Amino acid sequence: MTWRAATRDDLNTYYTDEFPDYVDDLPSFITATGPKQYALAFDHPHPVRKDEVPDKDFVRRDTWQTDTAGERQQAEFDELDDVLDFIQHPARNDPLDGSEFALADPGLLDQSDPRPDAVYYALDNWERPWVLLVDIDAKTIARERAADALPQDTSERDDEALLEATGILDADPAGYPYAFADIDQAIEYGFEVRDIFADDFDAEETMVVYSGQGVHVYLLDTDLAHRYDAQSREVLNDLLLKSYNIPIDPVVTADRRRVARLPYSLHADVSRIVQPIESPQFDPRTATPAFLD
């Protein structure tokens, strides 16, 4: 299976020809106006209309215009097809159209139309409580595995030297800061977290998403007993890290401003489709976009 970074043409092909077929499969809480923001990362910075403003390689766009009190006034996207238009041609369909802070029209530049290197949505949501997501990254697992494999103290060694010394950089997928075994372990941890949600928190609605280089685990119950505030999320982080020894990224769980990769978007670093999965036996090498077939 090919494991490589996506090219600009790959990204154009995926978001034009393949991604639209997945829009109807998005989780129900991801709507045109539910997440408070959508965000795009670009592989090259793109100019904005205001001359003094630096070029942008990452933009966030609110889904609603709000008044000074933060109350919703006007939706920026009427339906998911409008979000799709923004993803496919960000400068042409920038919700900030009319503002000098909008992306510059590529028709007026020597620079080409930007394409998203990654697509994100805000975990903070207008229509439901703040989405609870736990992030487990294969890179963290590989780093810890490498440190455990060496007899001496590795705290002062940089990650690349550590991974090279333990052979992880040479293991498939060669050149990446983890091996397939680390991705498989991340997936196993993800389903372990899902079981913890069900057993320890009586969660009824959960989801595990293959994120491209690890997993995202969602706890989606919205009843009053499961509206996890900032303090309870810190407790959850401590539980998973210290009691269960699961190497999560605690900042993702606790920071209300975080964004997550949009399900069915493309992880361009590895050319793999971000997607919900149902089993710890899921093989990430099968999450292949059509342009690799």
Side-chain angles (χ1 to χ4, degrees):
M1 294 289 182
T2 303
W3 198 269
R4 63 164 175 79
T7 66
R8 176 183 168 82
D9 287 343
D10 292 337
L11 293 166
N12 182 46
T13 298
Y14 182 76
Y15 286 109
T16 301
D17 299 338
E18 194 165 353
F19 179 73
D21 293 336
Y22 289 119
V23 169
D24 289 340
D25 297 328
L26 288 170
S28 60
F29 61 90
I30 301 179
T31 64
T33 54
K36 291 189 175 181
Q37 292 180 328
Y38 283 96
L40 303 178
F42 306 126
D43 59 349
H44 292 93
H46 187 80
V48 297
R49 296 180 184 179
K50 187 175 176 63
D51 290 340
E52 297 82 9
V53 175
D55 296 354
K56 301 292 186 183
D57 60 7
F58 182 81
V59 296
R60 292 175 179 256
R61 292 296 182 258
D62 294 338
T63 56
W64 285 86
Q65 296 178 18
T66 58
D67 60 20
T68 55
E71 296 296 323
R72 289 179 283 180
Q73 300 297 309
Q74 181 176 337
E76 296 286 9
F77 303 104
D78 292 327
E79 55 190 5
L80 279 170
D81 281 348
D82 298 324
V83 179
L84 176 60
D85 289 342
F86 173 53
I87 292 170
Q88 291 176 331
H89 296 283
R92 188 187 307 166
N93 299 290
D94 194 337
L96 291 183
D97 184 37
S99 165
E100 58 186 356
F101 293 100
L103 295 169
D105 183 347
L108 303 176
L109 304 170
D110 294 331
Q111 192 162 336
S112 58
D113 192 8
R115 290 291 187 272
D117 198 52
V119 180
Y120 304 93
Y121 73 97
L123 295 176
D124 208 0
N125 195 289
W126 286 110
E127 298 168 359
R128 53 154 292 135
W130 172 20
V131 176
L132 196 159
L133 180 150
V134 170
D135 179 38
I136 305 172
D137 195 323
K139 295 189 291 292
T140 302
I141 294 170
R143 208 276 177 202
E144 292 184 357
R145 180 164 68 92
D148 290 342
L150 297 177
Q152 66 271 32
D153 180 19
T154 61
S155 59
E156 299 301 321
R157 299 185 67 168
D158 67 73
D159 287 356
E160 185 171 357
L162 192 60
L163 297 174
E164 187 171 13
T166 52
I168 292 175
L169 279 181
D170 294 326
D172 287 336
Y176 285 86
Y178 49 77
F180 282 128
D182 301 303
I183 302 177
D184 292 340
Q185 181 62 69
I187 293 170
E188 289 186 22
Y189 279 139
F191 282 91
E192 184 177 343
V193 171
R194 188 189 69 170
D195 290 342
I196 292 168
F197 285 163
D199 295 341
D200 292 11
F201 297 93
D202 296 324
E204 297 180 356
E205 188 178 0
T206 58
M207 180 171 64
V208 180
V209 172
Y210 165 61
S211 62
Q213 298 184 120
V215 293
H216 295 157
V217 191
Y218 290 82
L219 197 167
L220 297 169
D221 290 355
T222 57
D223 60 282
L224 289 175
H226 293 92
R227 292 192 178 191
Y228 296 101
D229 59 14
Q231 183 175 2
S232 60
R233 288 164 186 257
E234 295 289 359
V235 173
L236 174 62
N237 280 337
D238 286 344
L239 176 71
L240 294 177
L241 285 165
K242 297 177 182 178
S243 297
Y244 287 100
N245 296 314
I246 297 176
I248 68 170
D249 182 344
V251 177
V252 174
T253 308
D255 183 359
R256 198 179 192 105
R257 286 278 297 168
R258 298 295 290 201
V259 295
R261 288 185 183 272
L262 185 69
Y264 304 108
S265 65
L266 190 72
H267 195 304
D269 289 348
V270 294
S271 294
R272 285 296 175 273
I273 300 171
V274 175
Q275 59 188 268
I277 58 177
E278 299 296 332
S279 166
Q281 278 72 53
F282 173 78
D283 184 351
R285 285 164 285 194
T286 65
T288 309
F291 64 75
L292 288 182
D293 288 344

